Amino acid sequence: MNLESQVRDYFQKMVLPDEVTIYDRLLLSLREKDMIASFNWDPFLPLAFKRNRKLRRLPKLAFLHGNVEVGSCLEHRRSGFLDQRCSVCAKPFASSKLLFPVKQKNYSEDPFIHSEWEHLRWHLSRAYFVTVFGYSAPVTDIEAKTLMLDEWQRNPMRDLAEIEIVDIRERADLESTWKEFFVRRHYAIWDHVSKTCCFRNVRRSCEAFAMATLQNDPWHENPFPDTTDLGQLSKWLEPLLFEEEQGKFSGKPCPSVSCKAA
């Protein structure tokens, strides 16, 4: 068994617990206009997506280093989860590549990975709010950092936009690592994802940020309730989803819903 097969076998055995996880909250904090780009091989984000997709309005996903739960049909340029099939030829998706050279990733050589990066670059070139969660931008992955920086610097909204870094490293170290991405003081550094704008203003992070910075009219924060029950969390989201269906986005917190853990 080669190294990639061993890696795939190890990660494919991982499962999510039944209760609410950070992956569920991350997905549900965003809307379909948004994107989560992941470097992780583990199946947790895809598994969380599958069990929450009945809510329909979920962010797009991109897997920049591949993932054990995603694959593609290169002939017809389709991709998805491995339990799905190509919409053109109906063949099962082939697993995505996982391992890349340490010094030179050569992302563009793999068609599926290249496509994932193109999706991220498109979003970065138009983003109003970017949150970096758990990615250290290692020197061994200079190609990834360069690809992201190039698009971010082309973004016409960059002077008004915000970037958040979630990491437990020293602030000075993080500021040095990410300084090329910052515009003046338009950034924040947190030690936990719960402090980010998308967790404090669920599904309304861009609107809340714009009201505070452009309109000088901050909204009340509307964070997730403290529950471990997915059904209760889905119920709590209903007023927000209803607003979205109506094309209205307010800063008013959802009506009170009891979401205490069992």
Side-chain angles (χ1 to χ4, degrees):
M1 181 182 292
N2 63 33
L3 180 57
E4 181 146 336
S5 296
Q6 293 181 54
V7 170
R8 190 178 306 280
D9 183 62
Y10 173 80
F11 282 102
Q12 282 180 328
K13 294 176 181 177
M14 296 180 175
V15 296
L16 283 176
D18 292 334
E19 62 264 21
V20 174
T21 68
I22 190 70
Y23 301 95
D24 299 297
R25 293 177 184 272
L26 182 60
L27 281 162
L28 297 175
S29 72
L30 302 172
R31 306 206 301 268
E32 67 271 25
K33 68 178 179 62
D34 304 315
M35 167 173 277
I36 300 174
S38 172
F39 288 96
N40 292 358
W41 295 329
D42 66 65
F44 298 144
L45 191 58
L47 293 177
F49 188 98
K50 290 179 183 181
R51 71 184 187 185
N52 287 290
R53 60 184 167 191
K54 62 181 180 295
L55 298 179
R56 300 185 307 282
R57 297 176 177 272
L58 296 178
K60 300 172 182 64
L61 303 180
F63 297 95
L64 308 177
H65 281 178
N67 187 277
V68 297
E69 277 290 315
V70 301
S72 64
C73 172
L74 298 183
E75 181 182 358
H76 299 111
R77 300 178 63 83
R78 300 291 190 276
S79 62
F81 301 129
L82 289 180
D83 59 0
Q84 298 174 321
R85 292 175 176 266
C86 173
S87 59
V88 179
C89 65
K91 293 180 181 178
F93 286 130
S95 298
S96 61
K97 183 179 177 181
L98 300 179
L99 299 180
F100 298 86
V102 173
K103 292 185 177 180
Q104 186 68 30
K105 301 298 185 183
N106 295 324
Y107 295 122
S108 61
E109 291 186 0
D110 183 272
F112 169 73
I113 299 299
H114 176 73
S115 175
E116 299 296 275
W117 275 98
E118 285 299 297
H119 292 320
L120 173 60
R121 292 174 67 177
W122 188 92
H123 278 78
L124 279 175
S125 68
R126 296 160 173 80
Y128 181 52
F129 210 113
V130 175
T131 300
V132 180
F133 175 26
Y135 177 61
S136 62
V139 294
T140 56
D141 205 2
I142 188 65
E143 185 176 354
K145 186 176 177 181
T146 300
L147 285 170
M148 291 188 288
L149 181 60
D150 286 349
E151 295 304 322
W152 181 238
Q153 290 182 332
R154 293 190 184 101
N155 188 332
M157 292 293 295
R158 188 165 172 259
D159 275 351
L160 299 175
E162 181 88 348
I163 184 167
E164 296 178 311
I165 309 297
V166 184
D167 203 309
I168 60 173
R169 289 154 55 195
E170 292 293 330
R171 184 181 183 91
D173 184 19
L174 293 169
E175 288 179 332
S176 176
T177 298
W178 294 100
K179 61 184 179 181
E180 295 171 295
F181 287 80
F182 298 154
V183 177
R184 299 183 298 279
R185 300 299 297 177
H186 292 202
Y187 68 93
I189 294 176
W190 309 113
D191 60 3
H192 196 276
V193 70
S194 62
K195 299 178 181 179
T196 61
C197 191
C198 61
F199 273 49
R200 289 183 287 112
N201 301 278
V202 175
R203 304 182 70 83
R204 302 291 185 270
S205 52
C206 288
E207 289 81 4
F209 179 67
M211 289 300 293
T213 58
L214 302 180
Q215 300 296 325
N216 197 27
D217 186 18
W219 285 355
H220 292 291
E221 293 183 356
N222 189 33
F224 284 112
D226 184 16
T227 180
T228 60
D229 185 281
L230 271 173
Q232 289 182 335
L233 193 60
S234 297
K235 185 71 175 177
W236 181 84
L237 285 167
E238 286 180 0
L240 290 171
L241 296 169
F242 178 77
E243 270 195 349
E244 292 162 25
E245 290 172 357
Q246 304 303 308
K248 300 177 182 179
F249 304 94
S250 75
K252 297 178 181 179
C254 297
S256 177
V257 176
S258 177
C259 289
K260 295 181 180 179

